[in-house]
Amino acid sequence: MSATTPHAVPTKLELLELLAAIGTAQWRDFASAAAHHGLTSTQAKVLAQLKGPLPMRGLATLLVCDASNVTGIVDRLEARELVRREPDPADRRVKNVVATDAGREVIRRVREEMQATHGALDVLDDTERATLHALLERLRPTLEKEA
């Protein structure tokens, strides 16, 4: 059975290529929506990660970059009053980054305005959406494991 036959089991490489294409398209959509709000894609990614207080070093790990890069990103977000720095209650030397109400609102709007991604998901019916969700949830813990 060839790889183009509907019932063929896709190879891992085919799955990886498909995930990469979807991830790239979703990231492009995210970056475009972020730009409408005057944010770089990295600034928007920081806001998206802030579900609670997060140390600067933790942000650097999530962004896979040096902590000194995060300082500049957070400085620009803080200047727009989208985040604030707070001392960590357990260790006052550590600064946590916290999204403000304005920051949470802008990232909500960015996600809401991702029209290409919303349109792609609209082609799935409820059962397909539930199946996709379950499969992605199974992959997530392994893919999000820290190195």
Side-chain angles (χ1 to χ4, degrees):
M1 206 179 287
S2 77
T4 57
T5 305
H7 300 292
V9 175
T11 65
K12 285 182 185 177
L13 181 58
E14 289 170 326
L15 290 171
L16 289 171
E17 288 173 353
L18 188 55
L19 284 170
I22 290 168
T24 299
Q26 187 271 343
W27 181 250
R28 191 173 40 246
D29 195 21
F30 181 77
S32 175
H36 285 125
H37 294 278
L39 297 169
T40 67
S41 54
T42 303
Q43 289 170 334
K45 186 175 180 179
V46 166
L47 287 173
Q49 298 295 326
L50 293 176
K51 293 164 184 61
L54 195 58
M56 297 280 283
R57 194 164 304 282
L59 268 176
T61 300
L62 287 171
L63 296 174
V64 192
C65 70
D66 192 75
S68 62
N69 294 342
V70 173
T71 300
I73 297 164
V74 171
D75 285 347
R76 288 183 284 285
L77 289 170
E78 196 171 37
R80 290 189 54 190
E81 299 182 351
L82 299 176
V83 301
R84 67 179 177 276
R85 289 178 174 96
E86 297 178 346
D88 188 298
D91 183 347
R92 313 265 316 148
R93 296 169 297 177
V94 174
K95 295 293 182 207
N96 286 328
V97 181
V98 180
T100 62
D101 289 343
R104 284 187 290 278
E105 175 60 18
V106 77
I107 197 61
R108 184 195 65 74
R109 290 192 348 241
V110 165
R111 287 181 175 133
E112 195 173 83
E113 293 170 14
M114 294 173 63
Q115 295 307 309
T117 304
H118 285 280
L121 292 172
D122 286 343
V123 304
L124 302 177
D125 64 29
D126 289 348
T127 302
E128 291 168 326
R129 240 182 264 181
T131 300
L132 178 60
H133 184 268
L135 292 170
L136 294 173
E137 281 294 329
R138 280 184 55 200
L139 293 176
R140 186 179 196 167
T142 304
L143 293 173
E144 287 184 343
K145 252 191 241 175
E146 289 189 43

